[in-house]
Amino acid sequence: MSEACGFDAFFRSDHYLAMGGDGLPGPTDAWVTLAALARETSRIRLGTLVSSSTFRWPGVLAITVAQVDAMSEGRIELGLGTGWYDGEHTAYGIPFPPLGERFARLEEQLSILTGLWKTPVGEKFSFDGTHYQLVDSPALPKPVQSPHPPIILGGAGAKRTPRLAATFADEFNVPFHGVADTEAQFVRVRAACEAIDRDPAALLFSAAQVVCCGADEAEVAARAKAIGRQPDELRANGAAGTPDEVVERLGALGAAGADRVYLQVLDLDDLDHLRLISESVLPHVS
């Protein structure tokens, strides 16, 4: 549906526990879903925003992403983060270390992922870290995209997040923040790039916003109610309102430095919502 409506990408969040309602029908795995979509689509880019580094060993994740990249003929992007939802870890027996350790593990994972993917065919890759050790890995399979699928990092942290983004990311994302806060975080990441002599222009900047669009106020209110939110709150914190209002919000994010905006759709059964955005918002944004 997303591909047919003309959207550029379809991204999955990566969670194993619902955050509202009765939780039915239960969790699905983001990378299993993307593998299926890779075979069912032909144009749209596919990815996670974001996978939790606590869910997968880095070597296994490197294989998984490379395989799905091949299945999609080079349309995969990897969003990766520290994880934050303690409850889903407890529910499924997944270790959930303190935040400092999760950041340290994420940094090692990023070194391993990029190291495995960049190792020339026929050579071996080893890594001796605090949390992960790899010895003489054949570093296979290779992804279709070279040197690897785009890596997306994001968040609002003032120090560690910008440093990791400047070091490893192809794209930096600010999720679910206002325009001013988004712009301020972009500034911090650009400064972190400059601190390591990386051109900030080499990094794509993006934002994620909950979307709630209606042809009129009654439709906006109905869609807000369906996701348990209020129209005024959605307008303040997301891309909400009539198509003109959503276009205005996207324009403001663009002016703040966003090259790309992800619209989070919370009611997955409301396909008319996608059609409205496709017909009344997409033609007015570049």
Side-chain angles (χ1 to χ4, degrees), residues 10 12 22 26 53 67 72 83 97 113 135 139 151 153 171 178 183 202 237 253 265 271 281:
F10 176 87
R12 271 284 311 259
D22 58 13
S53 63
Q67 182 177 352
S72 70
L113 288 165
V135 179
I151 293 173
L153 299 178
E171 177 180 337
E183 184 174 21
N237 298 307
L253 289 165
V265 177
L271 299 183
V281 174

Side-chain angles (χ1 to χ4, degrees), residues 184-207:
Q185 185 68 339
F186 288 166
V187 169
R188 286 190 282 268
V189 172
R190 290 191 182 95
C193 288
E194 292 168 352
I196 62 170
D197 294 325
R198 181 182 181 186
D199 183 359
L203 194 62
L204 191 72
F205 289 86
S206 64

Side-chain angles (χ1 to χ4, degrees), residues 105-126:
R105 286 181 175 272
L106 174 61
E107 184 163 5
E108 288 192 14
Q109 285 210 8
L110 291 164
S111 295
I112 292 166
L113 288 165
T114 54
L116 287 168
W117 287 331
K118 290 180 179 180
T119 297
V121 174
E123 297 185 13
K124 300 292 181 67
F125 174 81
S126 296

